[in-house]
Amino acid sequence: MPDLVSRNTRNQFREHLVSYTLGEIDLVFGVGDLTPDWAYDPPNIGGQRRTRVEQYYVRIDWSDATVVRRVLDVFEAILINLDDSIAQTPSWDAGKDVRRKLLRCIERDGFRYENSRIRATSPRLQIDSVNVALAKVDAPELQRQIVRIHDAIESDPALAVGTAKELVESACKTVLEERGVTIDPEWDLVRLGKETRECLELLPANVHDSVKGVESIRKLLANLGVVVQSLAEVRNLYGTGHGRTQKKQAMQPRHARLAAGAATTLATFLLETHWERP
């Protein structure tokens, strides 16, 4: 698997951390619960602060989405500190330049910094993001489906679409089973999605009339059902599971990326809502 954060981005954050004390560097990496390799002596790296950052970096698997999410928590803390410093000293042009450079780096890697959070924007990283949610539960089948989607998008788009549908199905079943709901084996994906959203109080009817922006929120929740319905329909038309036809071969990687992105975003949202709500 390729690195999710480029070496250039890592180096740029490291260079900014040269302005921190060693204790502050330890504190900011503590945000991600990361630990250094004190014995590591990085080659061609000068200075205690650069060395300290590299001692943290060397223990990071940059291809592991779960670990990288913890690194992104660190980068978020760095950007928040930078934002606070700029707010306190609006004339600090050098700080603004550093901020722009760091933001350009993470954007090139497929991330966006908004509302003090770094989020994935590229389809591949959106797929990886579901692994962060899955880290909270022993769900080997969901993990296998993620790998299958990764491997199939370019080489077998129809398989990727079929697996995207299965991913949402598995996520729904995980939520329902952990909440003690008996699953009828006859339920299709649309019914599973509806039962899951009802269990998590994610149906439009669950939004009280007094809530600000009630109609907009209800539309968003209704669209969750539309995504489920659309995934089921696209899978039936183009995905695997019902035998191959010439029409099914027309599926392109871009279609598979769209379906995979929608499926993984929905699966992540359902799982995270499940774990965040009692």
Side-chain angles (χ1 to χ4, degrees), residues 127-139:
I127 292 171
D128 287 327
S129 69
V130 77
N131 279 324
V132 178
L134 295 183
K136 300 179 183 180
V137 66
D138 181 17

Side-chain angles (χ1 to χ4, degrees), residues 5-180:
V5 176
S6 68
R7 184 172 297 278
N8 179 61
T9 296
R10 283 132 59 177
N11 289 347
Q12 292 299 332
F13 274 90
R14 182 195 66 202
E15 291 307 298
H16 176 60
L17 285 171
V18 170
S19 64
Y20 283 44
T21 67
L22 292 175
E24 288 170 340
I25 291 173
D26 291 335
L27 284 174
V28 77
F29 276 98
V31 170
D33 197 27
L34 300 170
T35 56
D37 179 355
W38 297 114
Y40 178 61
D41 184 12
N44 304 317
I45 296 293
Q48 286 183 311
R49 294 176 177 85
R50 289 187 181 90
T51 295
R52 181 64 60 86
V53 174
E54 290 296 329
Q55 287 173 333
Y56 281 98
Y57 279 176
V58 75
R59 298 190 66 181
I60 294 168
D61 181 352
W62 296 98
S63 67
D64 186 324
T66 303
V67 176
V68 168
R69 178 62 257 176
R70 290 157 56 195
V71 178
L72 295 179
D73 290 343
V74 173
F75 288 175
E76 284 174 359
I78 293 169
L79 288 168
I80 290 169
N81 288 340
L82 191 54
D83 287 343
D84 289 344
S85 297
I86 292 172
Q88 293 171 14
T89 312
S91 61
W92 186 32
D93 292 335
K96 296 174 185 177
D97 289 341
V98 169
R99 184 182 189 276
R100 282 193 290 268
K101 182 182 293 185
L102 295 178
L103 293 184
R104 282 198 300 269
C105 286
I106 63 173
E107 287 169 3
R108 282 195 293 267
D109 286 348
F111 300 96
R112 180 180 294 114
Y113 177 65
E114 290 180 335
N115 300 319
S116 301
R117 290 287 291 171
I118 297 176
R119 303 184 186 279
T121 58
S122 75
R124 181 174 66 84
L125 291 168
Q126 288 172 346
I127 292 171
D128 287 327
S129 69
V130 77
N131 279 324
V132 178
L134 295 183
K136 300 179 183 180
V137 66
D138 181 17
E141 179 56 29
L142 274 75
Q143 297 285 1
R144 284 191 290 270
Q145 289 164 350
I146 289 294
V147 173
R148 197 178 305 135
I149 291 172
H150 265 301
D151 294 344
I153 282 180
E154 298 295 333
S155 62
D156 192 346
L159 176 61
V161 170
T163 308
K165 175 260 184 185
E166 293 169 8
L167 175 66
V168 174
E169 188 174 57
S170 295
C172 290
K173 288 180 178 179
T174 297
V175 171
L176 293 172
E177 287 174 356
E178 292 197 357
R179 288 182 172 254

